[in-house]
Amino acid sequence: MMGLDPALLSAAVLMVALVLFVSDRMRHDLIALIALILCVLVGIVAPRQALSGFADPAVITVGAVLVIGRAIELSGIASVFTGRLTKSRAPFEVQLMIVMVIGALLSAFMNNIAALVIAMPVASKLAIDAKRSPTAALMPLAFATILGGMTTLIGTPPNLILSSIRRDHVGEGFGFFDMSGIGVSVTIVGLIYMAVIGFRLLPERRAAVRGVDNPWRVFELIVPESSAGTAGLRETLRQAGARLLKVYEPGERRWRSGQGASPGRRIVVLSRQNPWTLAEESGYTAVHRRDDSPDAVTVRTAVAHGSFLIGRAYDAVASQTEGRLSIVAAGPRAARARQPLRTMEIKPGDQLFIHGSATAIAEFIPNARLLEIGRHDLQDVDFRRAGMILAIFIASIIATAFFDVLPAIAFVAAAAAIPALKLMPAEEIYRSVDWPVMVLLAAMIPVGQSFETTGAASEVSAWLSVVLDGAPVWVSLFTLGGITLLLSAILNNVATAIIMGPLAYQIAEIQGFDSDEALLMVLVGASAAFLTPIGHQNNLLVMRPGGYLFSDYARMGAPLSLLILIVATLYLSFLPF
């Protein structure tokens, strides 16, 4: 637009994006595309540069790491590793620390969400075994996986974004472990706080997740011709560790209770065993056939709001997947209803036990907006396959950290080698990529660059420098981290890093301190999204299973945020990095 200051236009576009992000009424990737289109329309991003973000090494690296992380997750080795390390009779605080360390370690090298999904069933179980609500364990675990993402270059997308900003200014991005010093420091302090103090600040509520390791499930069995009456059925099931809920005849609309069960009737039972094991022990027949494929698994899920399954019958999963998956059991609501699953409608919060190929489940669950709570009836882990995947991943890390291979090259090569060696299904590659995050990254990169190239970042940083004039470096760092942290509470951490990265670099130049210190402070602030459930996807994932309220996040997260800012400021001000 002629006559208007480009810096003002850039700031205006970012403000529009900020308002839309905070409103949470639109998808974040769509908001990023709208901001990009506005930048092109007002002339602050050249049309030829509008799609340059899709070719940015940071975006490519994020996609490759998602594929590798998914391969590790599907191999089952991470779940086995987590489960074995947490088998302990230690006090709850010690076990919580162990599972948080594992979550942080996993998130340093794979997607934060995948790390949380792997460790969440273990955290819930240790809370239940300690006669506590999962409320005490799930939020600390979610925060731990966020903290762990600060420790390596690939731990979380903002790290790669800030590395890209550094490369644009000094010609070289961050090394693989350049942020490990500060990242490990704040992670250790944060984990100690949560294991000793933080979880005690959370209210003891009855959460939705119970009996994660061996939960009760409701399912149907077919009674054979030689079956006894209801009393005999009850006794047979009792001896097998199950409970009879109802007896009914196929096609019968009304329940039959307290009467003999004639041949051909089905029974609804409550048991901790899977349908096939109970069928073998009782001599009855399971309604659903067991999948004999090598990667068959039963996944316990919770139905999230917005799922297309809501309002549909329980056979909707089978019809949607052409029989590859089926709901073989249900959770507490079905036990209270005491009716055939085929006559029930799926509602938000329902627990569904979905059985079938792990590959098909991985494709279906995200699309259906289901939250995976735990996996049961797992097949044996192929340790040879898992070992090869880990070896390829470690080789890519070594190439990046010690041989100056570009992260995008090293991790794309690893992501290509894994399916090429048939270590994961080829069709799983594109399913592994979180496309909304990729679009958000690619669209916001040119928008963030325009904030700097138009001079808007310089003007804002000059104003902040006047405010901070004469202040010690540690004050400037603490202020920069605080602003970033507050933005991350309401913005996606990727958008926060893209906005604050150029600003931090400009402030460091004006104030005369090391720009790496400023960028690392932004890295910490962007990842420290502990104040609200909308600050990070992992916060949202544990909200319903943990029974949390919006205010619970600030209750435990505010002291943690302040503690992390203090530790990061002290580290950058007085220690080498």
Side-chain angles (χ1 to χ4, degrees), residues 294-377:
D295 67 337
V297 64
T298 302
V299 177
R300 185 186 181 197
T301 66
V303 181
H305 286 277
S307 171
F308 65 75
L309 294 174
I310 294 172
R312 305 182 68 175
Y314 271 51
D315 61 0
V317 171
S319 62
Q320 284 286 319
T321 60
E322 298 180 348
R324 291 184 298 161
L325 303 176
S326 59
I327 297 176
V328 296
R333 191 173 71 87
R336 294 190 296 270
R338 298 192 176 201
Q339 66 185 75
L341 298 184
R342 62 180 180 176
T343 67
M344 294 181 62
E345 287 187 355
I346 297 173
K347 295 184 178 181
D350 277 358
Q351 291 181 23
L352 309 176
F353 291 78
I354 300 176
H355 180 71
S357 162
T359 302
I361 287 173
E363 175 187 0
F364 182 74
I365 283 182
N367 295 332
R369 289 201 178 186
L370 300 176
L371 170 64
E372 181 177 328
I373 299 172
R375 294 201 168 199
H376 312 276
D377 316 321

Coordinates of all heavy atoms in Angstrom, one line a residue, residues 294-377:
P294 N 0.5 -59.2 12.8 CA 1.7 -59.1 13.8 C 1.6 -57.9 14.6 O 2.1 -57.9 15.8 CB 2.9 -59.1 12.8 CG 2.4 -59.7 11.6 CD 1.0 -59.4 11.4
D295 N 1.0 -56.8 14.1 CA 1.0 -55.5 14.9 C -0.4 -55.3 15.5 O -0.7 -54.1 15.9 CB 1.4 -54.3 14.1 CG 0.4 -54.0 13.0 OD1 -0.3 -54.9 12.6 OD2 0.4 -52.9 12.5
A296 N -1.2 -56.3 15.7 CA -2.5 -56.1 16.3 C -2.4 -55.7 17.7 O -1.6 -56.1 18.5 CB -3.3 -57.4 16.2
V297 N -3.3 -54.8 18.1 CA -3.3 -54.2 19.5 C -4.7 -53.7 19.8 O -5.5 -53.5 18.9 CB -2.3 -53.0 19.5 CG1 -2.8 -51.9 18.6 CG2 -2.1 -52.5 21.0
T298 N -5.0 -53.7 21.1 CA -6.2 -53.1 21.6 C -5.9 -51.7 22.3 O -5.0 -51.7 23.2 CB -7.0 -54.0 22.6 OG1 -7.2 -55.2 22.0 CG2 -8.3 -53.3 23.0
V299 N -6.5 -50.7 21.8 CA -6.1 -49.3 22.3 C -7.3 -48.8 23.1 O -8.5 -48.8 22.6 CB -5.8 -48.4 21.1 CG1 -5.5 -47.0 21.7 CG2 -4.5 -48.9 20.4
R300 N -7.1 -48.3 24.3 CA -8.1 -47.7 25.1 C -8.1 -46.2 24.8 O -7.1 -45.5 24.9 CB -7.9 -47.9 26.5 CG -9.0 -47.4 27.5 CD -8.5 -47.6 28.9 NE -9.5 -47.1 29.8 CZ -9.3 -46.9 31.1 NH1 -8.1 -47.0 31.6 NH2 -10.2 -46.5 31.9
T301 N -9.2 -45.7 24.3 CA -9.3 -44.3 23.9 C -10.5 -43.5 24.6 O -11.4 -44.2 25.1 CB -9.5 -44.1 22.4 OG1 -10.8 -44.6 22.1 CG2 -8.5 -44.9 21.6
A302 N -10.4 -42.2 24.7 CA -11.5 -41.4 25.2 C -11.9 -40.5 24.0 O -11.1 -40.0 23.3 CB -11.0 -40.5 26.3
V303 N -13.2 -40.3 23.9 CA -13.8 -39.6 22.8 C -13.8 -38.1 23.1 O -14.4 -37.7 24.1 CB -15.3 -40.0 22.5 CG1 -15.8 -39.2 21.3 CG2 -15.3 -41.5 22.2
A304 N -13.0 -37.3 22.3 CA -12.9 -35.9 22.6 C -14.1 -35.1 21.9 O -14.7 -35.6 21.0 CB -11.6 -35.3 22.0
H305 N -14.4 -33.9 22.4 CA -15.4 -33.1 21.8 C -15.0 -32.8 20.3 O -13.8 -32.5 20.1 CB -15.6 -31.8 22.6 CG -16.3 -32.0 23.9 ND1 -17.7 -32.0 24.0 CD2 -15.8 -32.2 25.1 CE1 -18.0 -32.2 25.2 NE2 -16.9 -32.3 26.0
G306 N -16.0 -32.8 19.4 CA -15.7 -32.6 18.0 C -15.4 -33.8 17.2 O -15.3 -33.7 16.0
S307 N -15.4 -35.0 17.9 CA -15.2 -36.2 17.1 C -16.4 -36.5 16.2 O -17.6 -36.3 16.7 CB -15.0 -37.4 18.1 OG -15.0 -38.6 17.4
F308 N -16.2 -37.0 15.0 CA -17.3 -37.3 14.1 C -18.0 -38.5 14.5 O -19.1 -38.9 14.0 CB -16.8 -37.4 12.7 CG -15.9 -38.6 12.4 CD1 -16.3 -39.9 12.3 CD2 -14.5 -38.4 12.2 CE1 -15.5 -40.9 12.1 CE2 -13.6 -39.4 12.0 CZ -14.1 -40.7 11.9
L309 N -17.5 -39.3 15.5 CA -18.1 -40.5 16.0 C -19.3 -40.2 17.0 O -20.2 -41.0 17.2 CB -17.1 -41.4 16.8 CG -16.0 -42.0 15.9 CD1 -15.0 -42.7 16.8 CD2 -16.6 -42.9 14.9
I310 N -19.3 -39.0 17.5 CA -20.3 -38.6 18.5 C -21.7 -38.7 17.9 O -22.0 -38.1 16.8 CB -20.1 -37.2 19.1 CG1 -18.8 -37.2 19.9 CG2 -21.2 -36.7 20.0 CD1 -18.3 -35.9 20.3
G311 N -22.6 -39.4 18.6 CA -24.0 -39.5 18.1 C -24.2 -40.7 17.2 O -25.3 -41.0 16.8
R312 N -23.1 -41.4 16.8 CA -23.2 -42.6 16.0 C -23.2 -43.9 16.8 O -22.8 -43.9 17.9 CB -22.1 -42.6 14.9 CG -22.0 -41.3 14.1 CD -21.0 -41.3 13.1 NE -21.3 -42.3 12.0 CZ -20.5 -42.4 10.9 NH1 -19.5 -41.6 10.7 NH2 -20.8 -43.3 10.0
A313 N -23.5 -44.9 16.2 CA -23.6 -46.2 16.8 C -22.2 -46.8 17.0 O -21.2 -46.3 16.3 CB -24.4 -47.2 16.1
Y314 N -22.0 -47.8 17.9 CA -20.7 -48.3 18.2 C -20.1 -49.1 17.0 O -18.9 -49.4 17.0 CB -20.8 -49.2 19.4 CG -20.6 -48.5 20.7 CD1 -21.3 -47.3 21.0 CD2 -19.6 -48.9 21.6 CE1 -21.1 -46.6 22.1 CE2 -19.4 -48.2 22.8 CZ -20.2 -47.1 23.1 OH -20.0 -46.4 24.2
D315 N -20.9 -49.4 16.0 CA -20.3 -50.1 14.8 C -19.8 -49.1 13.8 O -19.3 -49.5 12.7 CB -21.3 -51.0 14.2 CG -22.6 -50.3 13.7 OD1 -22.6 -49.0 13.8 OD2 -23.5 -50.9 13.1
A316 N -19.8 -47.8 14.1 CA -19.3 -46.8 13.2 C -17.9 -46.9 12.9 O -17.4 -46.6 11.8 CB -19.6 -45.4 13.7
V317 N -17.1 -47.4 13.9 CA -15.6 -47.5 13.6 C -15.4 -48.6 12.6 O -14.5 -48.4 11.7 CB -14.9 -47.8 15.0 CG1 -13.4 -48.2 14.7 CG2 -15.0 -46.7 15.9
A318 N -16.1 -49.7 12.7 CA -15.9 -50.8 11.7 C -16.3 -50.3 10.3 O -15.6 -50.6 9.3 CB -16.7 -52.0 12.1
S319 N -17.4 -49.6 10.2 CA -17.9 -49.1 8.9 C -16.9 -48.1 8.3 O -16.7 -48.0 7.1 CB -19.3 -48.6 9.0 OG -19.3 -47.4 9.9
Q320 N -16.4 -47.2 9.2 CA -15.5 -46.2 8.7 C -14.1 -46.7 8.2 O -13.5 -46.2 7.4 CB -15.2 -45.2 9.8 CG -16.4 -44.2 10.1 CD -16.5 -43.2 9.0 OE1 -15.5 -42.6 8.5 NE2 -17.7 -42.9 8.5
T321 N -13.7 -47.9 8.8 CA -12.4 -48.4 8.4 C -12.5 -49.7 7.6 O -11.6 -50.4 7.5 CB -11.6 -48.8 9.7 OG1 -12.4 -49.7 10.5 CG2 -11.4 -47.5 10.6
E322 N -13.7 -49.9 7.1 CA -14.0 -51.1 6.2 C -13.6 -52.4 6.9 O -13.0 -53.3 6.3 CB -13.2 -51.0 4.9 CG -13.6 -49.8 4.1 CD -12.9 -49.6 2.8 OE1 -11.8 -50.3 2.6 OE2 -13.3 -48.9 1.9
G323 N -13.9 -52.5 8.2 CA -13.7 -53.7 9.0 C -12.3 -53.9 9.5 O -12.0 -54.9 10.2
R324 N -11.4 -52.9 9.2 CA -10.0 -53.1 9.7 C -9.9 -52.9 11.2 O -9.1 -53.5 11.9 CB -9.1 -52.1 9.0 CG -8.8 -52.4 7.6 CD -7.8 -51.4 7.0 NE -8.3 -50.1 7.1 CZ -7.5 -49.0 7.0 NH1 -6.2 -49.1 6.9 NH2 -8.0 -47.8 7.1
L325 N -10.8 -52.1 11.8 CA -10.9 -51.8 13.2 C -12.3 -52.0 13.7 O -13.3 -51.9 13.0 CB -10.5 -50.3 13.5 CG -9.1 -49.9 13.0 CD1 -8.9 -48.4 13.4 CD2 -8.0 -50.7 13.7
S326 N -12.4 -52.3 15.0 CA -13.7 -52.4 15.6 C -13.7 -52.1 17.1 O -12.6 -52.2 17.7 CB -14.3 -53.9 15.4 OG -13.4 -54.8 16.0
I327 N -14.8 -51.6 17.6 CA -14.9 -51.4 19.0 C -15.3 -52.7 19.7 O -16.4 -53.2 19.5 CB -16.0 -50.3 19.3 CG1 -15.6 -49.0 18.7 CG2 -16.1 -50.2 20.9 CD1 -16.6 -47.9 18.9
V328 N -14.4 -53.3 20.5 CA -14.6 -54.6 21.1 C -15.0 -54.5 22.5 O -15.5 -55.5 23.1 CB -13.3 -55.4 21.0 CG1 -12.9 -55.7 19.5 CG2 -12.1 -54.8 21.7
A329 N -14.9 -53.3 23.1 CA -15.4 -53.2 24.5 C -15.6 -51.7 24.8 O -15.1 -50.8 24.0 CB -14.4 -53.8 25.5
A330 N -16.2 -51.4 25.9 CA -16.5 -50.0 26.2 C -16.2 -49.8 27.7 O -15.9 -50.7 28.5 CB -17.9 -49.6 25.9
G331 N -16.3 -48.5 28.2 CA -15.9 -48.2 29.5 C -17.0 -48.0 30.5 O -18.1 -48.6 30.3
P332 N -16.8 -47.1 31.5 CA -17.8 -47.0 32.6 C -19.2 -46.7 32.2 O -20.2 -47.3 32.8 CB -17.2 -45.9 33.5 CG -15.8 -45.9 33.1 CD -15.7 -46.3 31.7
R333 N -19.5 -45.9 31.2 CA -20.9 -45.5 30.9 C -21.6 -46.8 30.4 O -22.8 -46.9 30.7 CB -20.9 -44.4 29.8 CG -22.3 -43.9 29.6 CD -22.3 -42.7 28.7 NE -22.0 -43.0 27.3 CZ -23.0 -43.4 26.4 NH1 -24.2 -43.4 26.8 NH2 -22.7 -43.7 25.2
A334 N -21.0 -47.6 29.6 CA -21.6 -48.8 29.2 C -22.0 -49.8 30.3 O -23.0 -50.5 30.3 CB -20.7 -49.6 28.2
A335 N -21.1 -49.8 31.4 CA -21.4 -50.6 32.5 C -22.6 -50.1 33.2 O -23.5 -50.9 33.7 CB -20.2 -50.6 33.5
R336 N -22.8 -48.8 33.3 CA -24.0 -48.3 33.9 C -25.3 -48.5 33.1 O -26.4 -48.7 33.6 CB -23.8 -46.8 34.2 CG -22.8 -46.5 35.2 CD -22.8 -45.0 35.6 NE -22.5 -44.1 34.5 CZ -21.3 -43.7 34.2 NH1 -20.2 -44.1 34.9 NH2 -21.1 -42.9 33.2
A337 N -25.1 -48.4 31.8 CA -26.2 -48.6 30.8 C -26.8 -50.0 30.8 O -27.9 -50.2 30.6 CB -25.9 -48.1 29.4
R338 N -25.9 -51.0 30.9 CA -26.2 -52.4 30.8 C -27.1 -52.7 29.6 O -28.2 -53.3 29.8 CB -26.9 -52.8 32.1 CG -26.1 -52.6 33.4 CD -26.7 -53.3 34.6 NE -25.9 -53.2 35.7 CZ -25.9 -54.0 36.8 NH1 -26.8 -55.0 36.8 NH2 -25.1 -53.9 37.8
Q339 N -26.6 -52.4 28.5 CA -27.3 -52.7 27.3 C -26.3 -53.1 26.2 O -25.1 -52.8 26.3 CB -28.2 -51.5 26.8 CG -27.4 -50.3 26.4 CD -28.3 -49.1 26.1 OE1 -28.9 -48.5 27.0 NE2 -28.5 -48.8 24.8
P340 N -26.8 -53.7 25.1 CA -25.8 -54.1 24.0 C -25.1 -52.9 23.5 O -25.7 -51.8 23.3 CB -26.7 -54.7 23.0 CG -28.0 -55.1 23.7 CD -28.2 -54.1 24.8
L341 N -23.9 -53.0 23.2 CA -23.1 -51.9 22.6 C -23.7 -51.4 21.3 O -23.7 -50.2 21.0 CB -21.6 -52.3 22.4 CG -20.9 -52.7 23.7 CD1 -19.4 -53.0 23.3 CD2 -21.0 -51.7 24.8
R342 N -24.3 -52.3 20.5 CA -24.8 -51.9 19.2 C -26.0 -51.0 19.3 O -26.4 -50.4 18.3 CB -25.1 -53.2 18.4 CG -26.2 -54.1 19.0 CD -26.4 -55.3 18.1 NE -27.5 -56.1 18.7 CZ -28.0 -57.2 18.1 NH1 -27.5 -57.5 16.9 NH2 -28.9 -57.9 18.7
T343 N -26.6 -51.0 20.5 CA -27.8 -50.1 20.7 C -27.4 -48.8 21.3 O -28.3 -47.9 21.5 CB -28.8 -50.8 21.6 OG1 -28.3 -50.9 22.9 CG2 -29.2 -52.2 21.0
M344 N -26.2 -48.6 21.6 CA -25.7 -47.3 22.3 C -25.2 -46.3 21.3 O -24.7 -46.7 20.2 CB -24.7 -47.6 23.3 CG -25.2 -48.5 24.5 SD -23.9 -48.8 25.7 CE -23.5 -47.1 26.2
E345 N -25.3 -45.1 21.6 CA -24.7 -44.0 20.8 C -23.4 -43.5 21.5 O -23.4 -43.4 22.7 CB -25.7 -42.8 20.6 CG -26.8 -43.1 19.7 CD -27.6 -41.9 19.4 OE1 -27.4 -40.8 20.0 OE2 -28.6 -41.9 18.6
I346 N -22.4 -43.2 20.7 CA -21.2 -42.7 21.3 C -21.4 -41.2 21.7 O -21.9 -40.4 21.0 CB -20.1 -42.8 20.2 CG1 -19.8 -44.3 19.8 CG2 -18.8 -42.1 20.7 CD1 -18.9 -44.5 18.7
K347 N -20.8 -40.9 22.9 CA -20.9 -39.6 23.5 C -19.6 -39.1 23.9 O -18.6 -39.9 24.1 CB -21.9 -39.6 24.7 CG -23.3 -39.9 24.4 CD -24.2 -39.8 25.7 CE -25.6 -40.1 25.4 NZ -26.5 -40.0 26.6
P348 N -19.4 -37.8 24.0 CA -18.1 -37.2 24.4 C -17.7 -37.8 25.8 O -18.5 -37.9 26.7 CB -18.4 -35.7 24.5 CG -19.5 -35.5 23.6 CD -20.4 -36.7 23.7
G349 N -16.4 -38.1 25.9 CA -15.9 -38.7 27.1 C -16.0 -40.2 27.2 O -15.5 -40.8 28.2
D350 N -16.8 -40.9 26.3 CA -16.8 -42.3 26.3 C -15.5 -42.9 26.2 O -14.6 -42.4 25.5 CB -17.7 -42.8 25.2 CG -19.2 -42.8 25.5 OD1 -19.5 -42.4 26.7 OD2 -20.0 -43.1 24.7
Q351 N -15.3 -44.1 26.8 CA -14.1 -44.8 26.7 C -14.3 -46.0 25.7 O -15.3 -46.8 26.0 CB -13.5 -45.3 28.0 CG -13.0 -44.2 28.9 CD -12.5 -44.7 30.2 OE1 -12.1 -45.8 30.3 NE2 -12.5 -43.8 31.2
L352 N -13.6 -46.1 24.7 CA -13.7 -47.1 23.7 C -12.5 -48.0 23.6 O -11.4 -47.4 23.5 CB -14.1 -46.5 22.3 CG -15.2 -45.5 22.2 CD1 -15.3 -44.9 20.8 CD2 -16.5 -46.1 22.7
F353 N -12.6 -49.3 23.5 CA -11.5 -50.2 23.3 C -11.5 -50.6 21.8 O -12.4 -51.3 21.4 CB -11.6 -51.4 24.2 CG -11.4 -51.1 25.7 CD1 -12.4 -50.5 26.4 CD2 -10.2 -51.3 26.3 CE1 -12.2 -50.2 27.8 CE2 -10.0 -51.1 27.6 CZ -11.0 -50.5 28.4
I354 N -10.6 -50.1 21.1 CA -10.6 -50.3 19.6 C -9.5 -51.3 19.3 O -8.3 -51.2 19.8 CB -10.3 -49.0 18.9 CG1 -11.4 -48.0 19.2 CG2 -10.2 -49.2 17.4 CD1 -11.2 -46.6 18.6
H355 N -9.8 -52.3 18.5 CA -8.9 -53.4 18.3 C -8.6 -53.5 16.8 O -9.5 -53.3 15.9 CB -9.5 -54.8 18.7 CG -8.7 -55.9 18.5 ND1 -7.5 -56.2 19.2 CD2 -8.8 -57.0 17.5 CE1 -6.9 -57.3 18.7 NE2 -7.7 -57.8 17.7
G356 N -7.4 -53.8 16.4 CA -7.0 -53.9 15.0 C -5.5 -53.6 14.9 O -4.7 -53.5 15.8
S357 N -5.1 -53.5 13.6 CA -3.7 -53.2 13.3 C -3.3 -51.9 13.9 O -4.0 -50.9 13.8 CB -3.5 -53.2 11.8 OG -2.3 -52.6 11.4
A358 N -2.1 -51.9 14.4 CA -1.5 -50.6 15.0 C -1.4 -49.5 13.9 O -1.6 -48.3 14.2 CB -0.2 -50.9 15.7
T359 N -1.1 -49.9 12.7 CA -1.0 -49.0 11.6 C -2.3 -48.3 11.3 O -2.4 -47.1 11.2 CB -0.5 -49.7 10.4 OG1 0.8 -50.3 10.7 CG2 -0.3 -48.7 9.2
A360 N -3.4 -49.2 11.3 CA -4.7 -48.6 11.0 C -5.2 -47.8 12.2 O -5.8 -46.7 12.0 CB -5.7 -49.8 10.8
I361 N -4.8 -48.1 13.4 CA -5.2 -47.3 14.5 C -4.5 -46.0 14.5 O -5.1 -45.0 14.8 CB -4.9 -48.1 15.8 CG1 -5.9 -49.3 16.0 CG2 -4.9 -47.2 17.1 CD1 -5.6 -50.2 17.2
A362 N -3.2 -46.0 14.1 CA -2.5 -44.7 14.1 C -3.1 -43.8 13.1 O -3.0 -42.6 13.2 CB -1.0 -45.0 13.7
E363 N -3.7 -44.3 12.0 CA -4.3 -43.5 11.0 C -5.6 -43.0 11.5 O -6.0 -41.8 11.2 CB -4.5 -44.3 9.7 CG -5.3 -43.5 8.6 CD -5.6 -44.4 7.4 OE1 -5.2 -45.6 7.4 OE2 -6.2 -43.9 6.5
F364 N -6.4 -43.8 12.2 CA -7.8 -43.5 12.5 C -7.9 -42.6 13.7 O -8.7 -41.6 13.7 CB -8.5 -44.8 12.8 CG -10.0 -44.6 13.1 CD1 -10.9 -44.3 12.1 CD2 -10.5 -44.7 14.4 CE1 -12.2 -44.1 12.4 CE2 -11.8 -44.5 14.7 CZ -12.7 -44.2 13.7
I365 N -7.1 -42.8 14.8 CA -7.3 -42.1 16.0 C -7.2 -40.6 15.9 O -8.1 -39.8 16.4 CB -6.4 -42.6 17.1 CG1 -6.9 -43.9 17.6 CG2 -6.2 -41.6 18.2 CD1 -6.0 -44.5 18.7
P366 N -6.2 -40.0 15.2 CA -6.1 -38.5 15.1 C -7.3 -38.0 14.3 O -7.9 -36.9 14.7 CB -4.8 -38.3 14.4 CG -4.0 -39.5 14.6 CD -5.0 -40.6 14.6
N367 N -7.7 -38.6 13.3 CA -8.8 -38.2 12.4 C -10.1 -38.2 13.2 O -11.0 -37.3 12.9 CB -8.9 -39.0 11.1 CG -7.7 -38.8 10.3 OD1 -7.0 -37.8 10.3 ND2 -7.4 -39.9 9.5
A368 N -10.3 -39.2 14.1 CA -11.5 -39.3 14.8 C -11.6 -38.5 16.1 O -12.5 -38.5 16.8 CB -11.8 -40.8 15.1
R369 N -10.5 -37.8 16.4 CA -10.4 -37.0 17.6 C -10.6 -37.9 18.8 O -11.4 -37.6 19.7 CB -11.3 -35.8 17.6 CG -11.0 -34.7 16.7 CD -11.6 -33.4 17.0 NE -11.2 -32.3 16.1 CZ -11.5 -31.1 16.3 NH1 -12.2 -30.7 17.3 NH2 -11.1 -30.2 15.4
L370 N -9.8 -38.9 18.9 CA -9.7 -39.8 20.0 C -8.4 -39.6 20.8 O -7.4 -39.5 20.2 CB -9.9 -41.3 19.6 CG -11.2 -41.6 18.8 CD1 -11.1 -43.1 18.4 CD2 -12.4 -41.4 19.7
L371 N -8.5 -39.6 22.1 CA -7.3 -39.5 22.9 C -6.9 -40.9 23.4 O -7.7 -41.6 24.0 CB -7.5 -38.6 24.1 CG -6.4 -38.6 25.2 CD1 -5.1 -38.1 24.6 CD2 -6.9 -37.9 26.4
E372 N -5.7 -41.4 23.0 CA -5.2 -42.7 23.4 C -4.8 -42.6 24.9 O -4.0 -41.8 25.3 CB -4.0 -43.1 22.6 CG -3.5 -44.5 22.9 CD -2.4 -45.0 22.1 OE1 -2.4 -44.6 20.9 OE2 -1.5 -45.7 22.6
I373 N -5.4 -43.5 25.7 CA -5.1 -43.6 27.1 C -4.1 -44.7 27.4 O -3.2 -44.6 28.3 CB -6.4 -43.8 27.9 CG1 -7.4 -42.7 27.7 CG2 -6.1 -44.0 29.4 CD1 -8.7 -42.9 28.4
G374 N -4.2 -45.8 26.7 CA -3.3 -46.9 27.0 C -3.5 -48.0 25.9 O -4.5 -48.0 25.2
R375 N -2.5 -48.9 25.8 CA -2.5 -50.0 24.9 C -2.5 -51.3 25.6 O -1.8 -51.4 26.6 CB -1.3 -49.9 23.9 CG -1.4 -48.7 23.0 CD -0.5 -48.8 21.8 NE -0.9 -47.7 20.8 CZ -0.6 -47.8 19.5 NH1 0.0 -48.8 19.0 NH2 -0.9 -46.8 18.8
H376 N -3.3 -52.2 25.2 CA -3.4 -53.5 25.8 C -3.3 -54.6 24.8 O -3.5 -54.4 23.6 CB -4.8 -53.6 26.6 CG -5.0 -52.3 27.4 ND1 -4.5 -52.2 28.7 CD2 -5.7 -51.2 27.1 CE1 -4.9 -51.0 29.1 NE2 -5.6 -50.4 28.2
D377 N -3.1 -55.8 25.3 CA -3.0 -57.0 24.4 C -2.0 -56.8 23.3 O -2.2 -57.2 22.2 CB -4.4 -57.3 23.8 CG -5.5 -57.2 24.8 OD1 -5.3 -57.6 26.0 OD2 -6.6 -56.7 24.4

